[in-house]
Amino acid sequence: MQNEAVARLLENIAAALQLKAENIFRIRAYEEAARNIRFLKEDIAENWRQGRLTEVPGIGTSIAQKIGEFLQTGKSAYLQELCDGYPVAFLELLKIPGIGPRRAKLLYDHFHVTKLDDLADLARRQQIRQIRGMGPKTEEQLSRELARLGQRTQRLPLGIAWPLAERIASLLRNSPAVGQAEPAGSIRRRLETIGDIDILVASDRFAEIRKLIADLPLTKEILASGSTKITFLTAEDFQVDIRIVPQESWGAALQYFTGSKEHNVALRELAVQKGYKLSEYGIFEVESGRKVGGRTEAEVYELLGLTPIPPELREKRGEIAAAAAGSLPRLITLADVKGDFHVHSNYSDGNSSIAAMVESAIAHGYQYLAITDHSIGLGIARGINQEKAWRQWEEIRRLNKQYAPFRILSGVELEVRATGELDLSEELLAGFDFICASVHSGTRSDAERITKRMGSALRQHWVHVLNHPGGRLLNQRPPYEYHLDQLLQTAKETGKALEINGSYLRMDLDDSSARKAKEQGVLLSLGSDAHSVAGLDAMQLAVAIARRAWLEPADVLNTLPLAELLQWLEREKL
Ligand code: DGT
Ligand code: CA
Ligand code: CA
Ligand code: ZN
């Protein structure tokens, strides 16, 4: 499976295009294609062999050609050329916040470094300040950023690990030797990042399964194999644990290997209190040693006097007491979501037309969709200004007739300026159906200031939702330091909603902040932040966070049916 390698190639091209100060839309197109390939269930090389690369969302003929060359030769002449005589590894330097093309080239020219560790070493030895124009202050900042990069966890974002795990499970299920196969561990609990991939298999034909795994195209190396467990590395160096159990202990094993460890410990203590012994093999009566259950997971919970607990809640955060009291929440599901509140089209940095996004939304079973392109403030030349707003309204009016009763909401994703002001005029804002606001810049200011800034956006009359309030990018940028309680207070006072953004690198609000929001009576809103038709699938990740946050349909704005939503939007405008 070369998907990860191809995704990295496209990311490198995107980085290299920065060297050329290329148009932001070209850069975004490569990044978007990389993201889509990570989400792809099939093998990209297979698509290529069948001449179907351009059927992958976000891949046009030009990107397809570059992928083809890479799959054929293992290299990319285009990437080499973009790098201008610099080695591809040099692009690593561009990952350091604050290091743009000019500084990256300076650093490379001076030291021939490509490894971040080596650069950190140079900074420690105060060598960087020798370069003209890079004084001690820059050196210090570089050290700080490098240290932060070094602390990055190697955990995989759920949005990458989950589709991969589903793919492996479905390959296993295809084998006659396998009864059932399901992802377990943190993937099944939908934790935002994943340490390793766990897959549970029901079978009594171990040797066949081992052979099957050894033969999978995505297997790079089998690290260990005992009679109940096979650990292997994928081509992208992700670790996968396969556990093989007999069908009759499937439920107990699934419960055990789903975790979390803390949840399991608490559950076993409860079992002991009730005169049972619980293990991955089943649930046993202590006195008689007799096995009383374990075929299904529900059976395990029910024997302990509990309502079955959804995997997303199994974090020892009160779920066992709630299950004992019969007061578990009725968690939101994807089917409860009636529309998407955060998508981009080719009016700003998305790569599809509004009509294409609408058709995708209809295919997702939605009743409505808010088109929320960036406003001009982001410094994206093609953002929404007055002229484009008028054009968007006109187009949406026309499409609404065509797609009725489906409803397209004209929207915009506003920039919240450092002063807390919005970047479009009041008269213009009055013309939109749906308005969300985001902080995208100046995110390193102090907690006081950034909380105020977000709060003042919520207080703006026209704003309905504050987007991705935490501001983090998984493995890239920590969340802002901000005062959550204060923000929740403002959201509650104003009746506005906070977004749970499902984009796989954001996953923001995170689960514990969203749960706090619910407890404070703050409304949440779910958005995919799609930049292409395939991007709407990220709603699954937003729902995953919502479930981990114990949210019920009533806690989420976009579970409202269309008519009620329109009333809510009108009321907020008054
Ligand atoms: P991860 O991989 O760090 O994202 O998190 P998990 O939860 O997938 O952890 P992992 O892969 O170490 O183990 C998978 C599940 O197996 C875990 O959630 C619970 C169960 N498990 C593993 N080791 C132990 C253990 O020592 N005690 C108990 N009670 N359960 C364990
Ligand atoms: Ca795991
Ligand atoms: Ca594991
Ligand atoms: Zn957005």
Side-chain angles (χ1 to χ4, degrees):
M1 180 98 159
Q2 302 238 53
N3 292 19
E4 180 60 25
V6 172
R8 284 208 191 127
L9 166 79
L10 300 182
E11 277 168 0
N12 277 334
I13 292 179
L17 287 167
Q18 288 179 42
L19 292 176
K20 300 271 172 194
E22 262 283 354
N23 166 327
I24 182 82
F25 293 100
R26 288 278 298 285
I27 297 176
R28 288 275 169 96
Y30 278 93
E31 288 171 349
E32 176 73 13
R35 212 172 302 147
N36 289 339
I37 288 169
R38 288 219 167 85
F39 266 107
L40 204 64
K41 291 190 190 67
E42 315 93 67
D43 188 346
I44 188 88
E46 197 49 44
N47 270 290
W48 168 64
R49 273 190 289 274
Q50 299 170 359
R52 296 192 296 113
L53 272 182
T54 52
E55 288 170 25
V56 177
I59 299 189
T61 46
S62 147
I63 295 181
Q65 183 254 324
K66 275 136 212 160
I67 295 175
E69 182 199 355
F70 176 75
L71 288 173
Q72 195 153 25
T73 67
K75 285 197 284 258
S76 165
Y78 180 63
L79 178 60
Q80 300 292 341
E81 186 194 312
L82 285 176
C83 284
D84 236 353
Y86 289 87
V88 170
F90 146 87
L91 296 171
E92 265 314 279
L93 303 185
L94 292 170
K95 289 188 185 157
I96 309 165
I99 300 294
R102 196 184 60 85
R103 283 181 164 174
K105 285 181 177 170
L106 270 176
L107 287 169
Y108 184 82
D109 292 343
H110 255 82
F111 302 114
H112 282 262
V113 274
T114 57
K115 292 210 176 66
L116 300 187
D117 280 351
D118 296 346
L119 196 60
D121 202 44
L122 287 165
R124 210 170 306 119
R125 291 187 287 115
Q126 307 200 331
Q127 299 293 300
I128 307 291
R129 62 182 69 179
Q130 319 289 341
I131 303 179
R132 265 181 71 139
M134 294 184 92
K137 223 176 136 198
T138 313
E139 189 177 73
E140 258 167 50
Q141 192 195 339
L142 188 69
S143 281
R144 234 185 353 258
E145 293 296 355
L146 284 167
R148 194 178 303 164
L149 284 174
Q151 285 166 1
R152 271 185 199 170
T153 57
Q154 290 306 302
R155 298 177 62 85
L156 274 180
L158 178 65
I160 294 174
W162 184 8
L164 181 61
E166 291 291 353
R167 185 160 177 276
I168 297 169
S170 95
L171 288 168
L172 287 164
R173 256 178 245 128
N174 284 341
S175 157
V178 171
Q180 292 181 73
E182 290 294 338
S186 48
I187 292 186
R188 186 154 179 257
R189 304 197 312 279
R190 310 282 189 252
L191 194 62
E192 62 199 19
T193 62
I194 305 301
D196 69 355
I197 295 175
D198 300 283
I199 295 177
L200 189 69
V201 173
S203 173
D204 47 16
R205 288 149 72 178
F206 173 80
E208 279 172 66
I209 293 177
R210 201 203 126 93
K211 172 150 179 16
L212 191 131
I213 287 173
D215 292 346
L216 287 181
L218 55 74
T219 301
K220 178 164 143 192
E221 188 189 345
I222 294 194
L223 296 177
S225 99
S227 62
T228 59
K229 182 177 167 185
I230 303 169
T231 299
F232 71 96
L233 279 186
T234 70
E236 304 91 343
D237 283 334
F238 303 151
Q239 186 175 315
V240 184
D241 279 351
I242 308 275
R243 312 272 180 166
I244 300 144
V245 300
Q247 186 69 54
E248 64 270 16
S249 47
W250 171 261
L254 186 60
Q255 195 291 313
Y256 181 87
F257 291 113
T258 297
S260 66
K261 209 185 265 185
E262 293 73 16
H263 172 88
N264 286 357
V265 169
L267 208 62
R268 278 203 303 267
E269 279 168 10
L270 180 66
V272 169
Q273 285 169 24
K274 304 222 165 203
Y276 293 119
K277 178 176 164 287
L278 176 63
S279 76
E280 63 264 51
Y281 304 106
I283 180 160
F284 304 84
E285 249 174 26
V286 172
E287 221 157 88
S288 63
R290 194 168 59 91
K291 183 167 175 177
V292 291
R295 247 192 126 68
T296 70
E297 204 180 40
E299 195 175 72
V300 172
Y301 285 99
E302 278 156 7
L303 277 165
L304 297 176
L306 304 174
T307 329
I309 300 174
E312 295 92 335
L313 301 187
R314 300 182 195 170
E315 299 291 351
K316 202 175 178 234
R317 296 196 284 210
E319 71 278 10
I320 294 179
S327 62
L328 283 174
R330 200 299 249 160
L331 293 183
I332 183 171
T333 67
L334 194 54
D336 294 316
V337 179
K338 302 289 193 304
D340 195 330
F341 281 153
H342 191 163
V343 313
H344 297 267
S345 76
N346 55 16
Y347 274 69
S348 66
D349 59 348
N351 61 16
S352 306
S353 65
I354 295 180
M357 297 306 275
V358 169
E359 298 209 344
S360 177
I362 292 171
H364 280 76
Y366 295 149
Q367 299 178 7
Y368 49 83
L369 173 71
I371 303 289
T372 56
D373 276 303
H374 294 287
S375 57
I376 36 174
L378 190 55
I380 287 186
R382 280 181 13 190
I384 299 280
N385 54 17
Q386 173 162 323
E387 179 270 329
K388 287 183 94 172
W390 289 343
R391 199 145 53 77
Q392 190 225 47
W393 299 343
E394 192 47 47
E395 181 168 352
I396 287 180
R397 213 179 342 255
R398 189 168 53 73
L399 292 173
N400 266 327
K401 281 195 196 121
Q402 187 182 335
Y403 289 104
F406 187 87
R407 178 63 189 268
I408 311 155
L409 302 169
S410 67
V412 63
E413 177 175 8
L414 291 175
E415 285 306 297
V416 182
R417 291 195 178 129
T419 56
E421 288 167 293
L422 305 173
D423 67 338
L424 290 180
S425 73
E426 289 263 333
E427 302 89 80
L428 204 58
L429 293 181
F432 287 98
D433 300 319
F434 181 89
I435 293 177
C436 49
S438 304
V439 171
H440 285 117
S441 61
T443 51
R444 271 180 251 173
S445 58
D446 62 77
E448 214 59 54
R449 207 178 309 163
I450 206 147
T451 310
K452 251 185 145 166
R453 188 168 157 196
M454 292 196 282
S456 64
L458 282 175
R459 289 185 196 285
Q460 300 279 341
H461 181 61
W462 303 110
V463 171
H464 292 111
V465 173
L466 179 71
N467 284 345
H468 44 72
R472 71 166 171 192
L473 291 177
L474 285 177
N475 292 357
Q476 288 180 24
R477 191 172 75 199
Y480 315 138
E481 286 173 30
Y482 71 109
H483 301 306
L484 177 65
D485 290 330
Q486 213 171 307
L487 185 71
L488 294 180
Q489 187 58 38
T490 314
K492 186 161 165 96
E493 277 168 31
T494 56
K496 308 294 176 71
L498 299 182
E499 182 190 48
I500 296 177
N501 184 300
S503 158
Y504 81 102
L505 283 178
R506 287 197 184 271
M507 307 279 284
D508 178 10
L509 290 174
D510 63 81
D511 54 13
S512 58
S513 303
R515 187 169 175 194
K516 261 197 196 145
K518 175 201 165 101
E519 285 164 0
Q520 309 274 322
V522 171
L523 199 54
L524 284 308
S525 135
L526 307 186
S528 68
D529 207 350
H531 286 71
S532 70
V533 291
L536 273 89
D537 289 347
M539 185 59 81
Q540 290 184 37
L541 297 178
V543 169
I545 301 172
R547 288 172 64 85
R548 287 182 56 83
W550 293 52
L551 300 192
E552 304 186 82
D555 301 316
V556 172
L557 183 59
N558 34 341
T559 60
L560 289 180
L562 176 61
E564 286 171 47
L565 173 72
L566 293 177
Q567 277 173 12
W568 187 89
L569 292 172
E570 272 313 306
R571 197 175 56 237
E572 287 305 309
K573 273 191 177 184
L574 294 179

